Amino acid sequence: MSASLLSLRGVRKTYPGPGRGAAPKVVLDGVDLDVTEHECVVLIGASGSGKSTLLRVIDLLEEVDDGQVLLDGVDVADPWVDANAARARMAMVFQQYNLFPHLRVLDNVTLALRLVHGRGRAEAAASGLAMLEKVGLAHKARAYPDELSGGEQQRAAIARALVGAPELLLLDEVTSALDPELVGEVLDLLVALRDEGTTMVVATHEMGFAREVADEVVFLHDGQVHERGTPAQVLDDPQRERTRDFLRRLR
Amino acid sequence: MTDWQPSELAREREAFRRTQRRRALAVATVATAVVVGAVAYVVATAPGWERARQAFFSPERAVEVLPEVAEGLLLNLRVWVVASVVGLVVGLLLAVVRTSRLPALFPLRVLTVVYVDVFRGVPVLLVLLLAGFGLPALRLEWLPVSAAFLGGLAIVLTYTAYLAEIFRAGIESVHPSQVAAARSLGLSRGQTVRRVVLPQAVRNVTAPTASTLVSLQKDSGLISILGAVDAIRAAQIATTGDYNFTPYVVAGLLFLLLSIPLTRLVDAWSARQGWRGRLRGVSGGGVIR
Ligand SMILES: Nc1ncnc2c1ncn2[C@@H]1O[C@H](COP(=O)(O)OP(=O)(O)O)[C@@H](O)[C@H]1O
Ligand SMILES: [Mg+2]
């Protein structure tokens, strides 16, 4: 077995409780996770179970209270590590797209290429256009995000995430904000990425999609990994009561 | 595409809308005529109208004083341009400092808060008097003591504080998820502020910024109380000795001549911006019945 690209060890994350004196809310309570190259790990769990928080912790958008976030064996949760450099190796796609509204689609895609990866204007534009072509949006390169449909915006956000050739792609319920008939176009794209061997951690409520792409399914409950295994194990033959409850309610 | 001919229904609706538009135009015309007529009647039948007309609207006097007042206006214009540029640049910097969380900026942040609180809270007139009469008393050799300079300085100090607050509101109006998206791509803190937060912040506050600049243009007239010969002071000088106040009216018209195009210019500029932002659904969605 090859070494993990990403490992979480005993990750703990709390948010301050509401109001003064309230007890802090424990969202992640000692989470371990391993993601090897070309692997796809799917996070499932009830709303509020901490899937987004876990992804934000991995992408260093949240500071952990305790535990390690190892990227290629280096603990990037250490405050003395260059977080910008670590973040540039990963890419996140958000539930609400979070495109930059003041930039055209192409400029959304090329911003980080130019500012973070040091590409020249022409080179960045060429790579950006190629990536937009790949997600089927080359004809919208000069449009502003608010001129796109939800599915198009999310595909643009995926292009923006992919263009820097990230080693690890983080997807946070990327189809949850979409109209049902637009979900397919985004999922198809993700399946294609998966088939190319993109390493991904995916939070989703789309169980069919999870079954299709996951190497490992991780069920989060009460801030902990409650059950994990192959899709066949976790989704079709869950061993624990909570997992069964959760899956039953989804149906 | 099917070959479309408007149906009977569509033609009927269009005819109805046309009638409505004609009626709206007629109503607007009559209403305007009534209002203008009423005002003219009240003014013209007022017992003092003849005297007032001569004292405030004498065409000969207006032509006479126009050169002096216009020359004074040049000073207002200079104060306005300089104060706008300094206010915009420094105001933006102050807003960034105030919203940043860099520990090294802590002392600056405190200064910013104090500065904004003081200059937003003290009347412009008072700032003008203090700057105009207080600063020369210090006898600093390097400090110009002309009324125009000190007056301009007071205006800059006050308006920079206003603009800083507007920009701060703009920065705070940018959703945190925009910062998350930028940082997630690997952008540094500074790059995120410059390339993602500030462009959106500035666009979000174009309207209040523009109206503050118009207001600054008017308040540039306040430097006249220090004796700087701007349009207002020039008009005041022209009225001494006789009881004809036409120069004030001339000055007022000249100020309008500046501020109206200015507002239109800003409107046109923000409409030309490709990003219509949050107003899109309201302004671009067609007229809602
Ligand atoms: N910034 C925050 N401050 C306080 N509580 C938060 C914050 N973000 C998330 N939470 C809480 O953490 C829990 C997990 O949230 P989240 O990770 O978004 O769950 P999920 O993505 O699985 O729905 C929720 O109870 C939520 O209310
Ligand atoms: Mg979530």
Side-chain angles (χ1 to χ4, degrees):
Chain A
M1 205 187 134
S2 56
S4 297
L5 174 62
L6 172 81
S7 297
L8 303 188
R9 291 290 172 262
V11 164
R12 181 182 171 82
K13 172 73 190 170
T14 60
Y15 286 113
R20 209 177 300 200
K25 179 169 172 48
V26 182
V27 179
L28 300 175
D29 186 13
V31 171
D32 293 348
L33 193 74
D34 284 284
V35 186
T36 48
E37 219 180 315
H38 306 305
E39 194 184 17
C40 175
V41 173
V42 168
L43 303 174
I44 61 173
S47 181
S49 59
K51 304 181 294 294
S52 298
T53 305
L54 186 60
L55 289 171
R56 292 171 62 86
V57 160
I58 295 172
D59 205 20
L60 306 185
L61 297 174
E62 301 283 354
E63 274 175 11
V64 293
D65 296 7
D66 206 348
Q68 295 177 299
V69 180
L70 301 155
L71 191 62
D72 265 341
V74 177
D75 189 353
V76 290
D78 284 334
W80 50 86
V81 170
D82 181 354
N84 293 336
R87 275 190 287 259
R89 297 174 56 188
M90 306 182 254
M92 172 104 110
V93 183
F94 301 85
Q95 185 170 347
Q96 299 294 342
Y97 335 129
N98 294 359
L99 291 170
F100 304 127
H102 61 297
L103 298 179
R104 294 174 196 275
V105 168
L106 182 59
D107 296 325
N108 262 278
V109 173
T110 56
L111 185 69
L113 276 185
R114 293 174 48 198
L115 295 184
V116 180
H117 303 274
R119 309 282 169 74
R121 185 181 286 271
E123 192 194 344
S127 327
L129 270 177
M131 190 52 72
L132 285 174
E133 189 84 54
K134 179 169 171 178
V135 302
L137 278 181
H139 62 295
K140 296 285 188 183
R142 295 189 52 76
Y144 284 89
D146 65 0
E147 295 163 343
L148 268 51
S149 75
E152 290 170 336
Q153 291 194 47
Q154 195 56 295
R155 284 187 281 141
I158 292 171
R160 179 176 72 176
L162 289 175
V163 78
E167 296 162 58
L168 178 63
L169 187 60
L170 308 168
L171 304 166
D172 189 3
E173 299 201 37
V174 294
T175 59
S176 296
L178 297 177
D179 292 335
E181 84 268 27
L182 298 179
V183 169
E185 67 185 62
V186 173
L187 290 187
D188 289 348
L189 178 58
L190 298 182
V191 171
L193 291 175
R194 167 80 193 96
D195 292 343
E196 287 169 21
T198 313
T199 315
M200 314 197 256
V201 182
V202 186
T204 187
H205 278 114
E206 301 278 341
M207 291 305 146
F209 169 67
R211 199 171 269 115
E212 186 174 357
V213 297
D215 295 300
E216 183 183 36
V217 175
V218 173
F219 174 62
L220 286 180
H221 179 74
D222 265 353
Q224 295 180 333
V225 176
H226 196 69
E227 188 162 353
R228 68 189 343 148
T230 62
Q233 289 167 340
V234 178
L235 301 178
D236 299 330
D237 185 23
Q239 298 301 304
R240 304 188 65 171
E241 191 50 39
R242 299 280 179 219
T243 321
R244 279 199 286 273
D245 273 355
F246 171 72
L247 291 170
R248 200 171 315 120
R249 257 180 285 121
L250 269 193
R251 253 169 233 133
Chain B
M1 294 278 154
T2 53
D3 198 16
W4 177 74
Q5 291 292 329
S7 68
E8 183 58 28
L9 183 67
R11 280 199 299 272
E12 238 172 70
R13 286 177 180 159
E14 191 41 47
F16 177 77
R17 285 190 198 111
R18 241 191 333 260
T19 324
Q20 290 248 300
R21 275 197 296 271
R22 263 202 301 272
R23 190 169 306 159
L25 186 66
V27 169
T29 315
V30 171
T32 311
V34 167
V35 170
V36 171
V39 171
Y41 177 80
V42 169
V43 170
T45 57
W49 164 237
E50 209 31 57
R51 290 253 316 272
R53 195 177 62 81
Q54 280 165 12
F56 286 92
F57 302 101
S58 147
E60 306 85 54
R61 191 78 187 107
V63 172
E64 257 171 47
V65 298
L66 187 61
E68 296 145 49
V69 179
E71 198 185 316
L73 194 74
L74 278 183
L75 179 59
N76 294 103
L77 207 58
R78 284 215 312 267
V79 169
W80 177 70
V81 170
V82 173
S84 295
V85 172
V86 176
L88 288 173
V89 173
V90 180
L92 195 60
L93 279 176
L94 292 181
V96 170
V97 167
R98 183 151 181 188
T99 49
S100 111
R101 291 197 294 179
L102 285 183
L105 291 182
F106 180 77
L108 262 183
R109 195 147 60 239
V110 173
L111 275 182
T112 307
V113 174
V114 172
Y115 167 76
V116 170
D117 280 356
V118 167
F119 283 91
R120 229 173 25 144
V122 176
V124 200
L125 199 53
L126 207 57
V127 178
L128 264 160
L129 293 171
L130 288 175
F133 300 120
L135 288 180
L138 296 178
R139 296 178 190 282
L140 297 170
E141 270 162 34
W142 45 266
L143 189 78
V145 290
S146 80
F149 174 83
L150 292 173
L153 182 67
I155 301 273
V156 166
L157 284 171
T158 301
Y159 272 86
T160 301
Y162 293 164
L163 288 166
E165 278 304 276
I166 291 177
F167 286 131
R168 178 163 78 108
I171 290 172
E172 285 171 357
S173 75
V174 177
H175 199 273
S177 63
Q178 288 289 310
V179 175
R183 299 304 303 277
S184 137
L185 290 167
L187 269 67
S188 69
R189 236 187 272 255
Q191 287 171 329
T192 302
V193 169
R194 280 195 307 278
R195 306 299 290 265
V196 174
V197 176
L198 287 187
Q200 294 184 52
V202 169
R203 280 171 174 80
N204 287 350
V205 294
T206 321
T209 305
S211 76
T212 303
L213 292 186
V214 170
S215 176
L216 161 56
Q217 190 246 322
K218 289 180 305 178
D219 277 357
S220 69
L222 286 174
I223 64 172
S224 60
I225 63 156
L226 298 182
V229 185
D230 74 329
I232 297 179
R233 182 86 181 123
Q236 194 179 25
I237 294 169
T239 52
T240 42
D242 65 15
Y243 285 96
N244 196 312
F245 300 106
T246 306
Y248 285 133
V249 175
V250 171
L253 288 177
L254 288 181
F255 271 102
L256 275 184
L257 227 53
L258 278 187
S259 64
I260 291 178
L262 177 65
T263 18
R264 291 296 162 274
L265 214 68
V266 174
D267 284 352
W269 176 79
S270 26
R272 206 169 47 81
Q273 293 290 303
W275 179 60
R276 285 166 300 276
R278 45 209 68 192
L279 258 185
R280 187 157 190 254
V282 180
S283 61
V287 181
I288 297 171
R289 179 156 57 111

